């Protein structure tokens, strides 16, 4: 039996960081990524729920401060609200920042769609010692607000009930109006009357919205009326009205209107928001006085990153050891059970050697994501963006670029690239897209962990990782600066960043984030990495080199097989190009295979070393094999890591880059060219320089 639900379409609108995505997740049961810095939600996301015979479709929109949009993500939100006309808007308001958040409400309420306020962050409001009088809001202003604490899933049922109540008109939201005063109201009315002459136009868009925005010369609205037969009359009236208003108030219309709206908001807040206790917020401000201090900010940020790596490496070391032991056990026993031959080689050298090598680092990934989630949820990562914005502006760079870079470090370059959409300026956005892939994303992490583990003492692990992190940020900033000075010249744009107050993160929240990101890693291991491993194994195993030579040892036979295989031939072919930077064909192959996904660098090396092994029963962790291979050295390892920092991002990131940079082959070619050349040159300098300085060959 098919049940036909009546559908209610609602959307969540609100300023960035007010908790829209959290509420969306509560409503729909989906897991939209939540984070307290701008750029986390850059596309609209859809979900639904079923209640009381209704199917409620929910759309989560990117954060906006007003309906006069300028950046791509804002345009997405604005166009949805105005053009797709949901049945109902839920305006998510950060109640602890009532006045600032309320500006959007004044605009949303003009559109002519019922608006329910989800008065979110009421926990923070309470900590600030304040309370909101909901009855008064409804009685005096016709504002319907429902308190929520979205990150604790509080108030969700009440919101759902409110949606149905309003939809069924059990609760009527009377069209609330801003008190503009006589002059402005009269002028607005004159314009509205003309709008009503065009029935189609006035049916499609609310007259109040069009009238107010004509006064503001909003391009979007000018465009909407451009096809109307009253266009001329409208613009003429708007011009007259603007003149009357600006003469009366001796100021330009924009500021007169803004002034009216803000003083109105202020008067609403004054009666509806009550102070009932002492604020706990002074603590957050006190912390910020130190954390954001001009001199201390950068060192503290460095310290936090160092702490993350120290935590990750120190705690994961034994656990990674157990995992490696487990995989070794598996490998040895599989070799015992499965008879010698291709199948044994496929399972032991291919799958276990390759995918197993990547899975060995799973605990490290979890520890790292745990530490990052902790700082993210306290509110520190938002400060990091703020601090770097201040720093980067000195070089003419955009602070939002760093938000992209942090998102990439916190997991994957793809969401980092997407976050660049919040940057309005085209050139700044391109620069950000070009440099974000330099960051050490979760996929590159195992490569770093592998080589650091193989060539450095355990106690130095965090230090080396930290140096690599600083290097990656330094490289990205330098590259951005060069681009800004050369092909992508332009003025930096300003951006105002809302800093969330510090919060005590919940263990559950951190574990959830850790798992969400960790699971991606596992999923990749079971898909892309597995597939690549099979291909690499096959490429190294075929064609079979039957020419058994009794004179050479088994070990040499294995080496000859690799040498003569399809992939081995490719390796030999590219070797001359990478010889000057210290790599042999094997590492070259690993790097190329890594374009599918960066973890594949590790799995490929794993398969290669497993195949080169004579007796599968004395399997050792990959790090140990690398360490014992005389063709590797500390200097080569460091050069290899630096190359990995810079060279072409993985295929998924490249595809996203292509889309986000406007699908222009020009930029794609530029990215490919620039990262490859830069990787080679920097590696050359490091390797040859290192040799000259006597760090070995
Ligand atoms: P969006 O940018 O509007 O989508 O906001 P998010 O849903 O990503 O939330 C931003 C941050 O605020 C996250 O760290 C959430 O955990 C947190 N958050 C969301 N709702 C609340 C709330 O009611 N109280 C508190 N204290 N934090 C919240
Ligand atoms: Mg969001």
């Amino acid at each position: 039996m098919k049940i036909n639900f009546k559908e209610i379409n609602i959307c969540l609108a609100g300023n960035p960081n007010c908790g829209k995505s959290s509420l969306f997740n509560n409503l729909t049961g989906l897991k939209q990524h939540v984070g307290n810095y701008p750029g986390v939600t850059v596309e609209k996301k859809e979900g639904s729920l079923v209640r009381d015979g209704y199917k409620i479709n929910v759309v989560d929109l990117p954060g906006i401060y007003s309906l006069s949009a300028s950046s791509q993500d804002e345009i997405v939100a604005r166009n949805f609200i105005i053009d797709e006309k949901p049945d109902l808007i839920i305006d998510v308001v950060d109640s602890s920042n009532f006045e600032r958040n309320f500006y959007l409400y004044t605009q949303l309420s003009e559109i002519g769609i019922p608006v329910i306020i989800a008065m979110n962050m009421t926990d923070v409001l309470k900590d600030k010692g304040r309370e909101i009088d909901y009855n008064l809001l409804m009685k005096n202003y016709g504002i319907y607000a429902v308190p929520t604490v979205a990150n604790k899933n509080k108030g969700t049922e009440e919101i759902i009930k409110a949606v149905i109540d309003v939809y069924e008109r059990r609760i009527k939201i009377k069209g609330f109006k801003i008190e503009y005063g006589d002059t402005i109201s009269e002028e607005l009315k004159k314009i509205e009357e003309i709008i009503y002459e065009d029935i189609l136009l006035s049916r499609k868009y609310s007259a109040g919205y069009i009238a107010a925005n004509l006064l503001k010369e909003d391009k979007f609205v000018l465009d909407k009326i451009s096809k109307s037969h009253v266009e001329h009359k409208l613009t003429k009236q708007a011009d007259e009205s603007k003149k009357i208003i600006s003469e009366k108030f001796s100021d330009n219309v924009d500021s007169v209107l803004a002034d009216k709206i803000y003083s109105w908001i202020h008067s609403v807040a004054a009666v509806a928001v009550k102070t009932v206790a002492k604020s706990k917020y002074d603590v957050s401000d006190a912390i910020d006085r130190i954390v954001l201090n001009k001199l201390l900010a950068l060192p503290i940020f460095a310290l936090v990153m160092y702490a993350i790596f120290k935590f990750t490496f120190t705690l994961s070391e034994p656990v990674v050891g157990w995992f490696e032991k487990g995989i070794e056990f598996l490998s040895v026993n599989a070799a015992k059970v499965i008879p010698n031959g291709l199948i044994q080689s496929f399972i032991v050298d291919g799958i276990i050697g390759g995918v197993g090598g990547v899975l060995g680092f799973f605990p490290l990934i979890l520890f790292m994501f745990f530490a990052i989630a902790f700082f993210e949820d306290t509110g520190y990562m938002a400060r990091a963006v703020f601090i770097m914005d201040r720093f980067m502006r000195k070089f003419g760079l955009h602070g939002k670029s760093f938000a992209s870079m942090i998102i990439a470090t916190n997991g994957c370059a793809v969401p980092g690239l997407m976050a660049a959409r919040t940057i309005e300026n085209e050139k700044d956005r391109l620069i950000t897209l070009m440099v974000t892939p330099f960051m050490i994303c979760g996929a590159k992490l195992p490569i770093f962990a592998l080589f650091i583990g193989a060539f450095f003492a355990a106690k130095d692990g965090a230090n080396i990782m930290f140096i690599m992190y600083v290097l990656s940020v330094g490289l990205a900033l330098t590259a951005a600066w060069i681009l800004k000075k050369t092909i992508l010249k332009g003025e930096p744009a300003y951006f105002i960043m809302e800093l969330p107050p510090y919060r005590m993160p919940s263990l559950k929240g951190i574990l959830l984030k850790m798992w969400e990101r960790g699971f991606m890693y596992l999923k990749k291991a079971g898909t892309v990495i597995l597939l690549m491993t099979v291909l690499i194994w096959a490429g190294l195993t075929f064609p079979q080199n039957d020419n058994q030579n009794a004179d050479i040892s088994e070990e040499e036979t294995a080496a000859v097989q690799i040498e003569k295989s399809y992939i081995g031939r490719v390796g030999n072919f590219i070797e001359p190009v990478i010889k000057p930077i210290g790599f042999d064909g094997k590492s070259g192959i690993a790097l190329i295979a890594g374009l599918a996904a960066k973890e594949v660098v590790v799995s490929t090396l794993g398969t290669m070393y497993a195949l080169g092994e004579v007796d599968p029963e004395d399997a050792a962790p990959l790090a140990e094999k690398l360490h014992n291979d005389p063709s590797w050295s500390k200097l080569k390892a460091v050069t290899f890591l630096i190359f990995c920092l810079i060279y072409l991002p993985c295929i998924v990131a490249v595809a996203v880059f292509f889309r986000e940079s406007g699908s222009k082959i020009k930029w794609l070619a530029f990215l490919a060219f620039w990262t490859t050349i830069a990787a080679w040159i920097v590696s050359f300098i490091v390797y040859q320089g290192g040799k000259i300085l006597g760090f070995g060959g």
Side-chain angles (χ1 to χ4, degrees):
M1 192 182 74
K2 193 169 173 270
I3 305 168
N4 278 320
F5 293 110
K6 268 192 277 177
E7 299 201 13
I8 308 179
N9 297 311
I10 67 173
C11 72
L12 305 181
N15 292 9
N17 276 327
C18 61
K20 293 177 297 301
S21 298
S22 307
L23 181 62
F24 177 83
N25 293 347
N26 297 343
L27 287 170
T28 61
L30 295 174
K31 282 208 192 68
Q32 187 63 21
H33 193 83
V34 169
N36 52 11
Y37 38 86
V40 174
T41 313
V42 287
E43 271 181 332
K44 58 181 207 286
K45 289 275 153 52
E46 292 165 38
S48 67
L49 69 145
V50 167
R51 187 65 47 88
D52 297 348
Y54 287 107
K55 178 165 177 264
I56 304 179
N57 300 314
V58 192
V59 173
D60 181 25
L61 297 173
I64 44 173
Y65 291 107
S66 77
L67 287 177
S68 33
S70 48
S71 66
Q72 267 184 32
D73 51 325
E74 286 173 337
I75 291 172
V76 168
R78 196 259 330 264
N79 289 9
F80 182 84
I81 296 169
I82 307 286
D83 288 333
E84 315 233 340
K85 289 231 162 176
D87 297 312
L88 220 146
I89 300 171
I90 296 189
D91 178 15
V92 186
V93 163
D94 170 1
S95 58
S96 64
N97 250 316
F98 183 83
E99 295 197 23
R100 183 177 226 279
N101 277 240
F102 213 62
Y103 184 73
L104 182 66
Y105 179 77
T106 64
Q107 297 207 318
L108 292 174
S109 60
E110 273 175 352
I111 302 173
I113 299 172
V115 184
I116 297 172
I117 292 185
M119 201 61 94
N120 196 32
M121 308 234 179
T122 41
D123 55 333
V124 182
L125 186 77
K126 193 165 163 233
D127 288 345
K128 281 193 171 175
R130 302 209 196 112
E131 247 173 41
I132 286 175
D133 189 336
Y134 296 93
N135 289 330
L136 183 139
L137 276 181
M138 188 63 176
K139 214 167 95 234
N140 290 17
Y141 305 100
I143 297 170
Y144 185 27
V146 178
T148 57
V149 184
N151 64 340
K152 302 228 168 70
N153 201 355
K154 279 191 199 156
T156 314
E157 284 306 314
E158 286 78 358
I159 291 281
I160 299 174
K161 188 174 172 304
V163 168
I164 296 174
D165 281 347
V166 170
Y167 189 79
E168 293 182 342
R169 298 181 193 280
R170 257 197 301 276
I171 290 176
K172 290 200 184 64
I173 303 177
K174 40 177 184 177
F176 125 101
K177 276 238 154 36
I178 306 165
E179 312 260 347
Y180 280 117
D182 291 343
T183 316
I184 299 175
S185 300
E186 262 166 44
E187 295 309 317
L188 284 171
K189 212 156 150 209
K190 283 186 211 162
I191 303 176
E192 283 170 27
E193 269 158 21
I194 304 175
I195 296 169
Y196 287 122
E197 289 172 23
D198 181 343
I199 296 175
L200 278 181
L201 184 70
S202 62
R203 226 186 252 159
K204 198 145 181 237
Y205 307 105
S206 104
Y209 166 71
I210 297 208
N213 283 287
L214 279 180
L215 289 183
K216 292 182 211 153
E217 296 177 37
D218 185 283
K219 281 203 196 73
F220 182 70
V221 167
L222 283 173
D223 187 52
K224 295 282 167 210
I225 63 156
S226 67
K227 281 171 213 89
S228 165
H229 62 86
V230 292
E231 185 199 5
H232 185 68
K233 208 166 156 193
L234 269 177
T235 44
K236 203 168 140 243
Q237 177 60 48
D239 284 340
E240 257 168 47
S241 298
K242 270 182 280 184
K243 208 163 145 242
I244 294 174
I245 295 170
S246 57
E247 267 167 22
K248 161 107 192 206
F249 295 95
S250 24
D251 200 350
N252 69 46
V253 179
D254 276 352
S255 19
V256 176
L257 287 180
D259 213 47
K260 287 280 175 203
I261 294 172
Y262 276 115
S263 57
W264 185 84
I265 292 174
H266 192 69
S267 67
V268 174
V271 290
V273 186
K274 300 190 162 102
T275 304
V276 290
K278 210 169 157 289
S279 171
K280 290 182 192 159
Y281 258 69
D282 310 332
V283 181
S284 199
D285 293 343
I287 298 174
D288 271 344
R289 266 195 288 282
I290 301 167
V291 169
L292 300 181
N293 174 287
K294 281 214 157 57
L295 289 175
L296 297 176
L298 276 180
I300 291 178
F301 178 41
L303 207 68
V304 166
M305 288 315 297
Y306 183 77
I308 290 176
F309 294 128
K310 191 81 194 164
F311 171 88
T312 305
F313 275 72
T314 312
L315 291 187
S316 72
E317 210 222 359
V319 191
V320 168
W322 303 333
F323 260 63
E324 280 175 340
K325 279 267 168 327
I327 291 162
E328 211 178 300
F329 178 81
L330 208 67
S331 166
V332 169
N333 284 289
K336 275 188 193 147
V337 176
I338 309 166
N340 271 356
L342 273 184
I343 298 188
Q344 186 199 57
S345 165
F346 176 70
I347 305 264
V348 175
D349 303 333
I351 309 290
I352 302 180
V355 180
V358 171
L359 284 181
F361 292 108
F362 184 55
L364 182 114
I365 296 281
L366 287 185
F367 277 106
M368 173 93 175
F369 288 162
F370 182 92
I372 286 175
F374 172 81
F375 281 105
E376 218 173 59
D377 281 5
T378 55
Y380 183 77
M381 285 303 175
R383 265 113 189 136
V385 174
F386 181 81
I387 293 162
M388 288 304 284
D389 175 55
R390 214 161 51 186
F391 175 72
M392 286 161 78
R393 209 172 280 167
K394 289 195 190 115
F395 300 93
L397 300 173
H398 202 294
K400 276 188 194 165
S401 307
F402 198 72
S404 281
M405 286 160 63
I406 281 205
I407 295 172
T409 317
N410 290 4
C412 172
V414 168
L417 292 169
M418 308 257 292
R421 282 190 201 172
T422 57
I423 301 172
E424 285 140 47
N425 180 314
E426 187 76 23
K427 286 178 179 167
D428 286 348
R429 191 165 68 239
L430 269 172
I431 293 179
T432 309
L433 291 175
M434 294 280 179
V435 304
T436 300
F438 287 159
M439 304 313 293
I440 304 175
C441 62
K444 285 188 197 170
L445 205 58
I447 313 179
F448 284 79
L450 172 66
F451 279 90
I452 290 172
F455 294 98
F456 294 90
K459 67 174 177 28
D460 295 330
N463 303 5
I464 304 289
M465 195 60 217
F466 178 69
I467 293 171
M468 287 293 166
Y469 176 74
V470 174
L471 207 63
S472 71
V473 175
L475 271 167
L477 293 187
T478 315
W481 184 74
I482 293 173
L483 288 171
K484 184 93 194 169
K485 287 280 165 218
T486 54
I487 55 170
L488 293 166
K489 271 193 206 125
E491 288 299 305
Y494 278 85
F495 95 104
I496 306 162
M497 200 176 150
E498 189 77 4
L499 286 182
Y502 289 101
R503 285 163 196 155
M504 194 41 128
S506 72
L507 185 64
K508 192 179 148 218
I510 297 177
L511 290 177
L512 226 104
K513 267 189 185 174
M514 173 186 95
W515 180 245
E516 184 190 308
R517 291 166 181 168
F519 183 70
M520 294 266 294
Y521 187 81
L522 285 186
K523 217 170 94 183
K524 254 167 114 184
T527 52
V528 193
I529 297 167
L530 177 63
L531 180 74
M532 280 305 289
T533 304
V534 172
L535 292 178
I536 295 284
W537 174 83
L540 287 167
T541 309
F542 300 102
Q544 287 267 295
N545 183 33
D546 303 321
N547 208 351
Q548 292 288 350
N549 189 336
D551 293 345
I552 59 173
S553 67
E554 276 185 71
E555 203 163 302
E556 278 164 301
T557 315
V560 169
Q561 166 60 34
I562 293 180
E563 198 59 40
K564 294 265 163 73
S565 69
Y566 292 121
I567 286 184
R569 287 179 217 169
V570 177
N572 288 338
F573 180 73
I574 56 172
E575 202 168 70
V577 186
I578 50 178
K579 196 128 208 157
I581 55 175
F583 305 161
D584 55 9
K586 269 187 187 176
S587 14
I589 293 294
L591 289 170
I592 294 176
L595 293 177
K598 294 288 160 118
E599 298 96 331
V600 173
V601 173
V602 172
S603 65
T604 302
L605 288 170
T607 303
M608 281 174 174
Y609 276 89
L611 283 171
E613 203 117 282
V614 179
D615 186 1
E617 285 182 30
D618 50 48
L622 181 54
E624 214 174 295
K625 292 181 197 165
L626 285 171
H627 184 83
N628 295 334
D629 180 349
S631 70
W632 279 100
S633 68
K634 224 179 225 185
L635 178 62
K636 276 188 189 171
V638 169
T639 314
F640 190 79
L641 291 182
I642 289 175
F643 192 91
C644 283
L645 271 187
I646 313 174
Y647 89 121
L648 205 60
C650 73
I651 188 88
V652 182
V654 169
V656 172
F657 170 91
F658 181 62
R659 192 185 68 202
E660 296 297 312
S661 60
S663 304
K664 292 201 186 79
I665 297 288
K666 173 174 88 168
W667 291 124
L668 187 66
F670 183 75
L671 177 83
F673 183 75
W674 127 290
T675 50
T676 311
I677 300 289
W680 196 92
I681 292 176
V682 177
S683 301
F684 182 80
I685 295 171
V686 172
Y687 180 65
Q688 298 296 345
K691 263 194 352 196
I692 292 168
L693 294 176
F695 287 114

